[in-house]
Amino acid sequence: VKGREVIHNFSLTAARGDVIAIVGRTGAGKTTIINLLMRFYDPDGGRIMLDGVDISRYTRAGLRGCFTMVLQDTWLFAGTVYENIAYGKPGATREEVERVCKAAKIHSFITRLPQGYDTLLSDNAVNISKGQKQLLTIARAMLIDSPMLILDEATSNVDTRTEHVIQQAMTTLMRGRTCFVLAHRLSTIKNADKILVMEGGDVVEQGTHAQLLAQKGMYYNLYKSQFESY
């Protein structure tokens, strides 16, 4: 809303390779942090620095090239499996594509398709499952190999076995990258370096999993209610 301060008195330092988790109820404002990082809009006050440089000094294209995004709503297009994965890296070889697919735990599925990597996917890949789509987008992200990652780790509407495979692939993808994770199931971000807890568009708590549980505040209540629901 124009004229309303959304985030104030907030400071965060993320070191190279850190995992920063962002949690909160639906509508809490988790995407606000991501929108600011990606310069979908600029802050009215304060600064966001990347390697010591204010991100406003980067071109938007240059800044966004530093990030890879894997979101809950996957995006694939009508074309072959190979074309969908290689999309983020023009000229990628078949060997490169197969390497990342093996790392993303999707290679064996692809080889069982009628034409393997040359199998045509329908528009938005409605002819494969949600979990398989997610693994293909994870492989694409591995191929792009950006230093920073924005990850929506939701695995709703997939079975437990598929969820486990997706979590394994995401762990491989995150290795060595600075990651900002929109966390849905709090059990998946216990080892995050920092957790930001959002409510009403503001960051109300931050710390490690252990620190936040010890505070017995909002994170503690969210974690307890989620744990008891399973």
Side-chain angles (χ1 to χ4, degrees):
V1 178
K2 188 174 179 58
R4 181 171 68 86
E5 188 175 66
V6 178
I7 296 177
H8 66 281
N9 297 329
F10 169 60
S11 178
L12 170 72
T13 300
R16 188 182 300 270
D18 274 358
V19 175
I20 309 299
I22 308 170
V23 307
R25 298 182 180 91
T26 301
K30 297 186 290 293
T31 56
T32 299
I33 301 291
I34 303 307
N35 289 337
L36 288 167
L37 278 175
M38 299 290 287
R39 284 195 70 200
F40 290 125
Y41 46 78
D42 293 319
D44 295 320
R47 295 186 299 171
I48 302 172
M49 312 288 284
L50 176 59
D51 288 336
V53 178
D54 193 311
I55 63 170
S56 65
R57 295 178 60 184
Y58 288 78
T59 64
R60 280 182 167 81
L63 174 68
R64 292 168 188 169
C66 296
F67 290 90
T68 298
M69 301 181 77
V70 179
L71 303 179
Q72 182 179 6
D73 295 324
T74 55
W75 177 77
L76 298 168
F77 57 86
T80 67
V81 171
Y82 166 80
E83 289 168 339
N84 269 277
I85 297 167
Y87 177 80
K89 186 180 179 182
T93 66
R94 183 64 63 100
E95 290 73 23
E96 287 178 298
V97 169
E98 289 187 10
R99 174 179 56 79
V100 295
C101 287
K102 288 173 183 175
K105 314 289 187 186
I106 192 67
H107 174 73
S108 61
F109 164 75
I110 295 171
T111 57
R112 292 194 299 271
L113 292 172
Q115 283 81 43
Y117 282 85
D118 295 316
T119 299
L120 283 171
L121 299 178
S122 60
D123 189 33
N124 203 27
V126 294
N127 52 334
I128 62 174
S129 75
K130 180 181 176 68
Q132 289 154 353
K133 284 198 252 186
Q134 188 71 286
L135 291 170
L136 289 176
T137 59
I138 291 171
R140 179 197 288 161
M142 288 178 178
L143 188 64
I144 296 171
D145 199 25
S146 300
M148 291 181 287
L149 176 68
I150 293 171
L151 178 67
D152 186 337
E153 54 85 71
T155 51
S156 57
N157 302 321
V158 298
D159 59 72
T160 303
R161 182 179 177 278
T162 303
E163 180 185 1
H164 180 65
V165 173
I166 291 172
Q167 291 295 349
Q168 281 186 314
M170 286 182 173
T171 299
T172 301
L173 172 62
M174 293 166 69
R175 197 170 295 136
R177 293 179 171 87
T178 306
C179 302
F180 296 88
V181 182
L182 299 177
H184 299 263
R185 297 191 182 182
L186 304 188
S187 59
T188 64
I189 47 99
K190 288 180 181 178
N191 296 321
D193 296 284
K194 292 177 185 173
I195 300 171
L196 310 180
V197 185
M198 299 200 69
E199 175 72 7
D202 207 354
V203 178
V204 295
E205 293 175 358
Q206 64 173 296
T208 64
H209 174 74
Q211 289 168 342
L212 293 172
L213 285 183
Q215 287 179 22
K216 293 199 172 181
M218 183 176 170
Y219 181 82
Y220 173 85
N221 291 327
L222 283 172
Y223 187 80
K224 186 179 179 185
S225 65
Q226 207 171 84
F227 179 77
E228 288 175 347
S229 69
Y230 288 103

